Amino acid sequence: MTPHSCFLVSLHLPLPLTAAAVLLAGLAAAPVARSADAAAPAPASTAPASAQRAAASAFNPAIWLILSGGYTQLQRDPASWRLAGFQTGGEIGPGSRGFGLGESELGLSASIDPRFFGSMTVALSDDEGAAVEEAYVQTTALPAGLTLKFGRFLSGLGYQNELHAHAWAFIDAPLAHQAFLGGQRREDGLQLRWLAPTELFTELGVELGRGESHPGAAREKNGAGAWTVFGHLGGDIGASQSWRAGLSLLSARPQGRESSALDAAGNEVTHAFSGRSRTWVVDGVWKWAPEGNAQSRWVSLQGEWFRRQESGTLVADSAGLASAAPYRATQSGAYLQGVWQFMPGWRAGLRGDWLRVGTVDAGANAALLASARHDPSRGSLLLDWVPSEFSRVRLQVAQDRVRAGVNDRQVMLQYQMSLGAHGAHSY
Amino acid sequence: MTKTSRWMGRRVAGLLAGATLALAPWSAAHAELRIVACEPEWAALTTELAGPLAQVYSATTAQQDPHQVQARPSLIAAVRRADLLVCTGAELDAGWLPLLQRQAGNPAIQPGRPGLFEAAAQVELLGVPARLDRADGDVHAAGNPHIQTDPRRIARVAAALARRLAEVDPAHAGDFERRHADFAQRWQTAITRWERSAAPLKGLPIVVQHQGFPYLEQWLGLRQVAALEPKPGLEPSSAHLQSVLATLQRQPARLILRAAYNDGRGSQWLAERTQLPVVVLPYTVGGSEAAKDLFGLFDDTVARLLKAVQP
């Protein structure tokens, strides 16, 4: 698994654009013409009354709203929470203390025409105002198991990244996602997936994009700032069990990617990294329900392992000393979680998080970077009450050992309510 | 598993068909349809109508609540290769079918294409909510989707499905028509038989677990006194069960009905306090030993109801 021997997509401009042009040409030739037959009215005797009733609003997109908020009790000041030794980004950390309104999520989606489906999700919060979570168009008419998505979308690497936060089992992202993906990674660009015509679920995907989301960074350059390739296998074991496993590789070329850290005196400093970042992700999910009936009881096990290699230049304390030196790091992290629905509407969960600072070679900057050799870890317990498909209240208690020598007991109580269109049961 | 070998057989047949295509172009006409049914009753109906002309894969079993299914990898892989999806519609499969359609990379089964067949769109639905408000539970805007408990509606779905099969596979239109005529005749005879033997059930007061039996009630003239779910899709609460108990003291019922996939605890609780028999109906094909096909489903349904009310 040497990342340098890796294959596939050059970051230079012409290839992605050529690929996109070929795909769009394929789409134009896709046999949507037959849909004209299907659009012909059904014989009057079978015309559904419901379809006629729905006609007045038939072209309105599906609309949904997720209301979320809660209460957080943190034993330690969250201002001192840093993944020391990791170059981080995005929205990470345990959040703020006390009552709080989380992100409210507003979404719209609908078929655009016989060739395209569109969806947009906006996260609304006081901190960020309105942030575009996702705004993508997806093809529905490409042949041969191909699906092209473009716009802004949740990257398909690993397992949990592609799920919206309200569909996660736990309230917050695993530490590995916080350290290596800034919590959750979005991409502005293209995603092409191919599903093999086999009984075993076999999926390959490739993404090309702006690469602004961590571990990438905003850049002013032509071409793609990041690419991702991923593959997934999955299937059933009898009627009661199902599984999915995958391998992903993300490559980004951030320029001046800023990471907040604390210096030896506890003051906040910013480091800026430019160079190459490669992340491998191995993911696996296994689910069980008696006879496959998830109504009363089920068990779900999920885990992912991350390994990131970065090499380039780090400007330590970029706003102050601005000391530039070569930087190389190989770091890893993983989590494993299990959730058990023990009776209808009630779930309990347990999650373990581990990060390895690994090898960090910061050259002349070694003294300026936090040098405490501490591997962060965390254990979380969850109790989830789901009175209906549309409402959920969960309590999470975590023992957070992210800071060296510090135990932070975190208690989070969160509600999540879903209004409007019926939510999707993603695997 | 039989469905595995069926798919596998199709692959071999496809290879052979492809290999002989150049020599004998007509051999492609013998290619079988691959059909994914969202619920077992539609898998059984499709098998009746298409017989050896199709391989049928059922996305769910009678032991699974079709509201609760996830778009898991095996289903995506099955839909990827399907020529036709036969689903209930009316939002019964709304939580997972759209995801399967979007993730399968299969243009044939997208909304508006002949490859998507919705059974509920072929019949008149009961329980269309007068107002759409989730305060009333997991209501379905189009009406109650559990149409498979009324054999007369299944007959109408069969007619529409036979036409759709002919549209998707025109080379075998005549076969589908013949098979449908044969099925329709046997089915009509069976309906007459079920209705005759179920005559004593007319007006029978019942308690149901989920609002899943309006079509059966309408067909056999059963009278629903109460439901254990306070609202559709909400688990029976102890407070609500108490109120059901109070209702039953004023309006006695004769039995408690639930589907094979329902959690049995609520109905058991009520049965212990009221001495009413709990009748577990197969609800769909595969829901009981005897419900091996659609005929067995209704034979067994009627037999179980009659047995419960025998003096």
Side-chain angles (χ1 to χ4, degrees):
Chain A
M1 295 212 307
T2 54
H4 296 280
S5 68
C6 197
F7 43 106
L8 224 67
V9 184
S10 128
L11 290 190
H12 298 297
L13 178 64
L15 187 55
L17 287 190
T18 312
V22 167
L23 278 165
L24 288 174
L27 195 58
V32 285
R34 266 187 81 199
S35 63
D37 311 336
S45 60
T46 64
S50 56
Q52 287 159 14
R53 251 193 315 278
S57 60
F59 293 105
N60 285 340
I63 302 173
W64 67 95
L65 176 66
I66 311 278
L67 297 177
S68 165
Y71 176 82
T72 302
Q73 174 119 10
L74 304 172
Q75 193 183 0
R76 310 282 175 175
D77 183 1
S80 68
W81 193 97
R82 291 291 185 289
L83 290 163
F86 294 85
Q87 302 299 314
T88 57
E91 290 171 64
I92 61 173
S96 50
R97 286 168 152 172
F99 287 98
L101 185 66
E103 282 183 346
S104 308
E105 184 186 299
L106 182 64
L108 295 166
S109 74
S111 295
I112 294 166
D113 65 14
R115 290 187 173 85
F116 300 107
F117 168 87
S119 177
M120 175 156 184
T121 314
V122 178
L124 304 162
S125 66
D126 287 342
D127 295 343
E128 293 205 42
V132 179
E133 287 263 300
E134 282 196 295
Y136 66 81
V137 173
Q138 189 180 352
T139 62
T140 55
L142 280 182
L146 294 168
T147 305
L148 180 69
K149 208 184 230 190
F150 47 93
R152 174 174 298 179
F153 49 86
L154 295 171
S155 174
L157 93 163
Y159 172 72
Q160 177 165 309
N161 192 71
E162 218 176 1
L163 299 175
H164 280 273
H166 62 81
W168 296 349
F170 286 78
I171 293 174
D172 49 9
L175 287 182
H177 284 77
Q178 301 197 30
F180 301 124
L181 302 178
Q184 188 165 33
R185 185 175 149 73
R186 290 170 189 81
E187 189 61 280
D188 296 358
L190 300 167
Q191 179 196 67
L192 180 68
R193 284 176 189 253
W194 176 68
L195 191 61
T198 52
E199 184 167 350
L200 181 75
F201 172 83
T202 310
E203 174 191 71
L204 293 173
V206 54
E207 293 169 5
L208 267 180
R210 183 169 179 79
E212 188 163 329
S213 181
H214 192 82
R219 43 182 260 150
E220 288 304 326
K221 270 196 164 182
N222 288 324
W227 55 262
T228 306
V229 289
F230 57 87
H232 291 119
L233 298 174
D236 289 346
I237 309 167
S240 302
Q241 302 171 58
S242 60
W243 62 278
R244 202 191 83 164
L247 176 67
S248 316
L249 172 61
L250 158 67
S251 175
R253 287 189 172 274
Q255 289 185 307
R257 185 189 73 201
E258 296 192 333
S259 171
S260 163
L262 299 177
D263 67 12
N267 299 314
E268 181 168 3
V269 293
T270 301
H271 305 316
F273 171 79
S274 302
R276 187 163 76 172
S277 172
R278 286 207 162 159
T279 310
W280 288 91
V281 187
V282 178
D283 67 277
V285 191
W286 173 85
K287 298 187 184 188
W288 171 89
E291 301 288 334
N293 186 14
Q295 192 197 30
S296 299
R297 288 179 300 139
W298 50 259
V299 173
S300 153
L301 283 181
Q302 161 189 339
E304 292 179 75
W305 175 82
F306 287 70
R307 183 171 190 267
R308 176 160 90 182
Q309 288 188 305
E310 296 199 313
S311 62
T313 308
L314 188 80
V315 181
D317 191 6
S318 56
L321 286 172
S323 152
Y327 174 87
R328 294 180 74 87
T330 303
Q331 305 179 304
S332 61
Y335 76 95
L336 185 64
Q337 70 183 44
V339 179
W340 174 38
Q341 175 162 308
F342 52 94
M343 60 183 282
W346 288 92
R347 299 163 192 170
L350 178 65
R351 178 179 67 185
D353 278 291
W354 304 271
L355 293 178
R356 294 273 172 274
V357 172
T359 55
V360 179
D361 177 6
N365 279 334
L368 291 171
L369 298 188
S371 56
R373 294 286 313 167
H374 172 66
D375 291 333
S377 68
R378 185 177 63 174
S380 312
L381 272 172
L382 172 81
L383 184 65
D384 195 356
W385 177 48
V386 190
S388 81
E389 246 202 280
F390 308 97
S391 57
R392 163 185 226 183
V393 179
R394 47 189 175 177
L395 174 70
Q396 184 176 318
V397 180
Q399 198 65 254
D400 176 300
R401 296 186 192 86
V402 162
R403 288 157 279 203
V406 174
N407 255 348
D408 183 11
R409 170 156 307 163
Q410 305 171 341
V411 181
M412 299 175 186
L413 183 66
Q414 187 203 44
Y415 64 85
Q416 247 179 10
M417 305 288 157
S418 145
L419 291 71
H422 197 290
H425 304 175
S426 300
Y427 184 73
Chain B
M1 276 166 78
T2 51
K3 71 188 177 193
T4 308
S5 56
R6 281 197 212 134
W7 282 120
M8 295 288 284
R10 171 64 178 86
R11 203 180 307 156
V12 174
L15 280 173
L16 289 176
T20 53
L21 196 61
L23 300 170
W26 37 261
S27 67
H30 294 286
E32 292 169 13
L33 279 178
R34 277 184 296 209
I35 300 175
V36 171
C38 289
E39 289 83 20
E41 61 270 19
W42 309 130
L45 182 61
T46 310
T47 305
E48 294 279 357
L49 298 179
L53 299 173
Q55 294 157 29
V56 183
Y57 178 101
S58 182
T60 55
T61 71
Q63 281 71 41
Q64 297 170 350
D65 182 346
H67 298 92
Q68 303 274 351
V69 171
Q70 287 187 338
R72 61 182 195 275
S74 61
L75 301 187
I76 299 171
V79 171
R80 154 77 169 90
R81 295 175 294 154
D83 301 305
L84 175 65
L85 289 187
V86 182
C87 295
T88 300
E91 298 159 53
L92 178 66
D93 9 58
W96 46 285
L97 178 59
L99 275 179
L100 293 179
Q101 289 172 300
R102 288 207 296 278
Q103 296 185 1
N106 180 350
I109 47 81
Q110 298 300 326
R113 304 295 305 275
L116 176 66
F117 178 86
E118 295 198 351
Q122 316 303 327
V123 298
E124 189 205 343
L125 297 184
L126 300 174
V128 178
R131 58 171 203 158
L132 279 179
D133 190 336
R134 290 247 167 81
D136 300 328
D138 188 7
V139 290
H140 297 266
N144 191 301
H146 303 290
I147 58 173
Q148 83 285 1
T149 55
D150 177 0
R152 301 165 304 175
R153 281 181 166 83
I154 287 186
R156 284 198 282 283
V157 173
L161 181 56
R163 284 196 298 274
R164 184 62 64 88
L165 286 166
E167 189 184 345
V168 174
D169 184 7
H172 293 103
D175 295 307
F176 296 127
E177 200 179 320
R178 267 192 303 283
R179 293 191 68 94
H180 173 249
D182 173 56
F183 169 77
Q185 200 208 338
R186 286 184 292 131
W187 193 245
Q188 197 48 55
T189 312
I191 291 179
T192 312
R193 186 177 80 234
W194 294 321
E195 286 179 348
R196 200 179 313 125
S197 54
L201 298 172
K202 195 159 226 132
L204 186 76
I206 60 165
V207 182
V208 299
Q209 168 122 6
H210 172 68
Q211 302 280 9
F213 301 95
Y215 300 96
L216 183 72
E217 290 160 13
Q218 188 199 43
W219 176 47
L220 295 180
L222 310 178
R223 195 162 54 80
Q224 182 179 319
V225 177
L228 298 189
E229 287 185 353
K231 306 277 183 191
L234 296 190
E235 284 301 318
S237 63
S238 48
H240 180 72
L241 287 175
Q242 292 289 356
S243 85
V244 170
L245 204 55
T247 306
L248 289 180
Q249 272 153 12
R250 280 180 281 112
Q251 283 182 282
R254 294 286 302 282
L255 50 85
I256 304 166
L257 271 194
R258 73 169 174 91
Y261 66 71
N262 286 141
D263 188 287
R265 278 173 286 193
S267 42
Q268 202 51 49
W269 184 93
L270 192 66
E272 280 161 18
R273 278 152 189 82
T274 56
Q275 312 305 321
L276 292 180
V278 178
V279 181
V280 181
L281 291 186
Y283 207 52
T284 182
V285 175
S288 71
E289 198 64 24
K292 287 188 185 350
D293 59 12
L294 285 168
F295 293 91
L297 169 64
F298 285 96
D299 283 341
D300 196 36
T301 299
V302 171
R304 282 169 186 252
L305 288 169
L306 286 171
K307 186 166 170 242
V309 296
Q310 262 168 9

Short mmCIF file of all heavy atoms in Angstrom, two decimals, chain B residues 175-202:
data_model
loop_
_atom_site.label_atom_id
_atom_site.label_comp_id
_atom_site.label_asym_id
_atom_site.label_seq_id
_atom_site.Cartn_x
_atom_site.Cartn_y
_atom_site.Cartn_z
N ASP B 175 -47.68 -14.95 -24.23
CA ASP B 175 -47.52 -15.85 -23.08
C ASP B 175 -48.09 -15.23 -21.81
O ASP B 175 -48.78 -15.89 -21.04
CB ASP B 175 -46.03 -16.17 -22.86
CG ASP B 175 -45.45 -16.94 -24.02
OD1 ASP B 175 -46.04 -17.97 -24.37
OD2 ASP B 175 -44.43 -16.49 -24.59
N PHE B 176 -47.76 -13.94 -21.62
CA PHE B 176 -48.25 -13.28 -20.41
C PHE B 176 -49.76 -13.22 -20.41
O PHE B 176 -50.41 -13.42 -19.38
CB PHE B 176 -47.65 -11.87 -20.28
CG PHE B 176 -46.15 -11.86 -20.11
CD1 PHE B 176 -45.33 -11.11 -20.95
CD2 PHE B 176 -45.55 -12.62 -19.11
CE1 PHE B 176 -43.96 -11.11 -20.79
CE2 PHE B 176 -44.17 -12.62 -18.95
CZ PHE B 176 -43.38 -11.86 -19.79
N GLU B 177 -50.33 -12.96 -21.58
CA GLU B 177 -51.79 -12.88 -21.68
C GLU B 177 -52.43 -14.23 -21.34
O GLU B 177 -53.39 -14.31 -20.57
CB GLU B 177 -52.17 -12.44 -23.09
CG GLU B 177 -53.57 -11.87 -23.19
CD GLU B 177 -53.88 -11.42 -24.61
OE1 GLU B 177 -52.98 -10.86 -25.27
OE2 GLU B 177 -55.01 -11.68 -25.05
N ARG B 178 -51.85 -15.29 -21.91
CA ARG B 178 -52.38 -16.63 -21.63
C ARG B 178 -52.26 -16.98 -20.15
O ARG B 178 -53.19 -17.45 -19.52
CB ARG B 178 -51.63 -17.68 -22.47
CG ARG B 178 -52.29 -18.01 -23.80
CD ARG B 178 -51.67 -19.25 -24.42
NE ARG B 178 -50.23 -19.13 -24.61
CZ ARG B 178 -49.66 -18.42 -25.61
NH1 ARG B 178 -50.42 -17.80 -26.49
NH2 ARG B 178 -48.36 -18.36 -25.72
N ARG B 179 -51.07 -16.71 -19.61
CA ARG B 179 -50.86 -17.07 -18.21
C ARG B 179 -51.79 -16.26 -17.31
O ARG B 179 -52.29 -16.76 -16.30
CB ARG B 179 -49.40 -16.83 -17.81
CG ARG B 179 -48.42 -17.76 -18.49
CD ARG B 179 -47.04 -17.65 -17.84
NE ARG B 179 -47.04 -18.18 -16.48
CZ ARG B 179 -46.70 -19.42 -16.18
NH1 ARG B 179 -46.30 -20.25 -17.11
NH2 ARG B 179 -46.74 -19.82 -14.93
N HIS B 180 -52.01 -14.99 -17.69
CA HIS B 180 -52.90 -14.17 -16.87
C HIS B 180 -54.34 -14.68 -16.94
O HIS B 180 -55.04 -14.75 -15.92
CB HIS B 180 -52.85 -12.70 -17.28
CG HIS B 180 -53.88 -11.88 -16.57
ND1 HIS B 180 -54.98 -11.34 -17.20
CD2 HIS B 180 -54.01 -11.57 -15.25
CE1 HIS B 180 -55.74 -10.72 -16.30
NE2 HIS B 180 -55.17 -10.84 -15.13
N ALA B 181 -54.78 -15.05 -18.15
CA ALA B 181 -56.16 -15.56 -18.29
C ALA B 181 -56.34 -16.80 -17.42
O ALA B 181 -57.35 -16.95 -16.71
CB ALA B 181 -56.45 -15.87 -19.76
N ASP B 182 -55.34 -17.66 -17.43
CA ASP B 182 -55.41 -18.87 -16.62
C ASP B 182 -55.44 -18.54 -15.13
O ASP B 182 -56.27 -19.05 -14.37
CB ASP B 182 -54.19 -19.76 -16.95
CG ASP B 182 -54.10 -20.96 -16.04
OD1 ASP B 182 -55.09 -21.71 -15.98
OD2 ASP B 182 -53.06 -21.12 -15.36
N PHE B 183 -54.54 -17.62 -14.74
CA PHE B 183 -54.49 -17.23 -13.32
C PHE B 183 -55.81 -16.58 -12.89
O PHE B 183 -56.36 -16.91 -11.83
CB PHE B 183 -53.33 -16.26 -13.08
CG PHE B 183 -53.36 -15.61 -11.72
CD1 PHE B 183 -52.95 -16.32 -10.60
CD2 PHE B 183 -53.81 -14.31 -11.56
CE1 PHE B 183 -52.99 -15.73 -9.34
CE2 PHE B 183 -53.86 -13.72 -10.30
CZ PHE B 183 -53.44 -14.44 -9.18
N ALA B 184 -56.31 -15.67 -13.75
CA ALA B 184 -57.52 -14.93 -13.38
C ALA B 184 -58.68 -15.88 -13.15
O ALA B 184 -59.49 -15.70 -12.22
CB ALA B 184 -57.86 -13.91 -14.46
N GLN B 185 -58.74 -16.92 -13.97
CA GLN B 185 -59.85 -17.87 -13.82
C GLN B 185 -59.72 -18.66 -12.51
O GLN B 185 -60.67 -18.77 -11.73
CB GLN B 185 -59.86 -18.81 -15.02
CG GLN B 185 -61.19 -19.47 -15.21
CD GLN B 185 -61.05 -20.82 -15.87
OE1 GLN B 185 -60.05 -21.09 -16.54
NE2 GLN B 185 -62.04 -21.67 -15.69
N ARG B 186 -58.51 -19.16 -12.26
CA ARG B 186 -58.30 -19.92 -11.02
C ARG B 186 -58.52 -19.03 -9.79
O ARG B 186 -59.06 -19.45 -8.78
CB ARG B 186 -56.88 -20.49 -10.99
CG ARG B 186 -56.67 -21.67 -11.93
CD ARG B 186 -55.26 -22.23 -11.77
NE ARG B 186 -54.24 -21.30 -12.25
CZ ARG B 186 -53.15 -20.96 -11.56
NH1 ARG B 186 -52.93 -21.47 -10.36
NH2 ARG B 186 -52.27 -20.12 -12.05
N TRP B 187 -58.09 -17.78 -9.92
CA TRP B 187 -58.18 -16.84 -8.80
C TRP B 187 -59.65 -16.53 -8.49
O TRP B 187 -60.06 -16.50 -7.34
CB TRP B 187 -57.41 -15.57 -9.16
CG TRP B 187 -57.15 -14.64 -8.01
CD1 TRP B 187 -57.63 -13.38 -7.85
CD2 TRP B 187 -56.32 -14.89 -6.87
NE1 TRP B 187 -57.18 -12.83 -6.69
CE2 TRP B 187 -56.36 -13.73 -6.06
CE3 TRP B 187 -55.56 -15.98 -6.45
CZ2 TRP B 187 -55.67 -13.62 -4.86
CZ3 TRP B 187 -54.88 -15.88 -5.25
CH2 TRP B 187 -54.93 -14.71 -4.46
N GLN B 188 -60.44 -16.31 -9.56
CA GLN B 188 -61.85 -15.99 -9.36
C GLN B 188 -62.57 -17.16 -8.68
O GLN B 188 -63.36 -16.95 -7.76
CB GLN B 188 -62.50 -15.65 -10.71
CG GLN B 188 -63.83 -14.90 -10.58
CD GLN B 188 -63.74 -13.71 -9.60
OE1 GLN B 188 -62.89 -12.84 -9.75
NE2 GLN B 188 -64.59 -13.71 -8.58
N THR B 189 -62.24 -18.35 -9.11
CA THR B 189 -62.84 -19.54 -8.49
C THR B 189 -62.47 -19.59 -7.00
O THR B 189 -63.32 -19.86 -6.14
CB THR B 189 -62.31 -20.81 -9.18
OG1 THR B 189 -62.42 -20.63 -10.59
CG2 THR B 189 -63.07 -22.04 -8.75
N ALA B 190 -61.21 -19.29 -6.73
CA ALA B 190 -60.75 -19.35 -5.34
C ALA B 190 -61.43 -18.27 -4.51
O ALA B 190 -61.83 -18.52 -3.35
CB ALA B 190 -59.24 -19.19 -5.29
N ILE B 191 -61.60 -17.07 -5.07
CA ILE B 191 -62.26 -16.00 -4.32
C ILE B 191 -63.68 -16.43 -3.93
O ILE B 191 -64.10 -16.25 -2.79
CB ILE B 191 -62.30 -14.69 -5.16
CG1 ILE B 191 -60.88 -14.12 -5.30
CG2 ILE B 191 -63.21 -13.66 -4.50
CD1 ILE B 191 -60.81 -12.85 -6.13
N THR B 192 -64.38 -17.03 -4.89
CA THR B 192 -65.74 -17.49 -4.60
C THR B 192 -65.72 -18.50 -3.45
O THR B 192 -66.55 -18.43 -2.54
CB THR B 192 -66.33 -18.16 -5.87
OG1 THR B 192 -66.08 -17.28 -6.97
CG2 THR B 192 -67.81 -18.41 -5.71
N ARG B 193 -64.72 -19.37 -3.47
CA ARG B 193 -64.61 -20.38 -2.43
C ARG B 193 -64.33 -19.73 -1.06
O ARG B 193 -64.97 -20.02 -0.07
CB ARG B 193 -63.48 -21.36 -2.80
CG ARG B 193 -63.33 -22.55 -1.87
CD ARG B 193 -62.24 -23.48 -2.37
NE ARG B 193 -60.91 -23.02 -2.01
CZ ARG B 193 -59.91 -22.84 -2.86
NH1 ARG B 193 -60.08 -23.07 -4.15
NH2 ARG B 193 -58.73 -22.43 -2.45
N TRP B 194 -63.36 -18.79 -1.04
CA TRP B 194 -63.00 -18.13 0.22
C TRP B 194 -64.20 -17.35 0.77
O TRP B 194 -64.46 -17.38 1.95
CB TRP B 194 -61.82 -17.18 0.01
CG TRP B 194 -60.55 -17.88 -0.34
CD1 TRP B 194 -60.10 -19.06 0.17
CD2 TRP B 194 -59.57 -17.46 -1.30
NE1 TRP B 194 -58.89 -19.40 -0.40
CE2 TRP B 194 -58.53 -18.43 -1.30
CE3 TRP B 194 -59.44 -16.37 -2.15
CZ2 TRP B 194 -57.42 -18.34 -2.12
CZ3 TRP B 194 -58.32 -16.25 -2.96
CH2 TRP B 194 -57.33 -17.24 -2.95
N GLU B 195 -64.90 -16.66 -0.13
CA GLU B 195 -66.02 -15.84 0.34
C GLU B 195 -67.11 -16.72 0.93
O GLU B 195 -67.74 -16.36 1.92
CB GLU B 195 -66.55 -14.97 -0.81
CG GLU B 195 -65.59 -13.82 -1.13
CD GLU B 195 -66.05 -12.94 -2.28
OE1 GLU B 195 -66.99 -13.35 -2.99
OE2 GLU B 195 -65.44 -11.87 -2.47
N ARG B 196 -67.33 -17.89 0.31
CA ARG B 196 -68.37 -18.78 0.81
C ARG B 196 -67.99 -19.29 2.21
O ARG B 196 -68.76 -19.22 3.15
CB ARG B 196 -68.56 -19.95 -0.15
CG ARG B 196 -69.92 -20.63 0.05
CD ARG B 196 -70.13 -21.79 -0.93
NE ARG B 196 -69.80 -21.44 -2.31
CZ ARG B 196 -68.94 -22.13 -3.06
NH1 ARG B 196 -68.30 -23.17 -2.58
NH2 ARG B 196 -68.71 -21.77 -4.32
N SER B 197 -66.72 -19.72 2.34
CA SER B 197 -66.37 -20.30 3.64
C SER B 197 -66.20 -19.22 4.71
O SER B 197 -66.35 -19.50 5.90
CB SER B 197 -65.11 -21.16 3.52
OG SER B 197 -64.08 -20.41 2.94
N ALA B 198 -65.91 -17.98 4.29
CA ALA B 198 -65.70 -16.92 5.28
C ALA B 198 -67.00 -16.20 5.63
O ALA B 198 -66.98 -15.25 6.42
CB ALA B 198 -64.68 -15.91 4.77
N ALA B 199 -68.12 -16.65 5.09
CA ALA B 199 -69.39 -15.96 5.34
C ALA B 199 -69.69 -15.78 6.83
O ALA B 199 -70.18 -14.72 7.24
CB ALA B 199 -70.52 -16.71 4.63
N PRO B 200 -69.38 -16.78 7.68
CA PRO B 200 -69.69 -16.59 9.12
C PRO B 200 -68.90 -15.46 9.77
O PRO B 200 -69.22 -15.06 10.89
CB PRO B 200 -69.28 -17.94 9.74
CG PRO B 200 -69.11 -18.89 8.62
CD PRO B 200 -68.85 -18.11 7.39
N LEU B 201 -67.87 -14.95 9.09
CA LEU B 201 -67.03 -13.91 9.70
C LEU B 201 -67.65 -12.52 9.54
O LEU B 201 -67.15 -11.54 10.10
CB LEU B 201 -65.63 -13.91 9.07
CG LEU B 201 -64.82 -15.19 9.23
CD1 LEU B 201 -63.56 -15.14 8.40
CD2 LEU B 201 -64.47 -15.42 10.69
N LYS B 202 -68.70 -12.41 8.77
CA LYS B 202 -69.28 -11.09 8.48
C LYS B 202 -69.70 -10.41 9.78
O LYS B 202 -70.36 -10.99 10.63
CB LYS B 202 -70.50 -11.26 7.56
CG LYS B 202 -70.92 -9.97 6.92
CD LYS B 202 -71.74 -10.20 5.65
CE LYS B 202 -71.27 -9.31 4.54
NZ LYS B 202 -71.05 -9.93 3.30
#
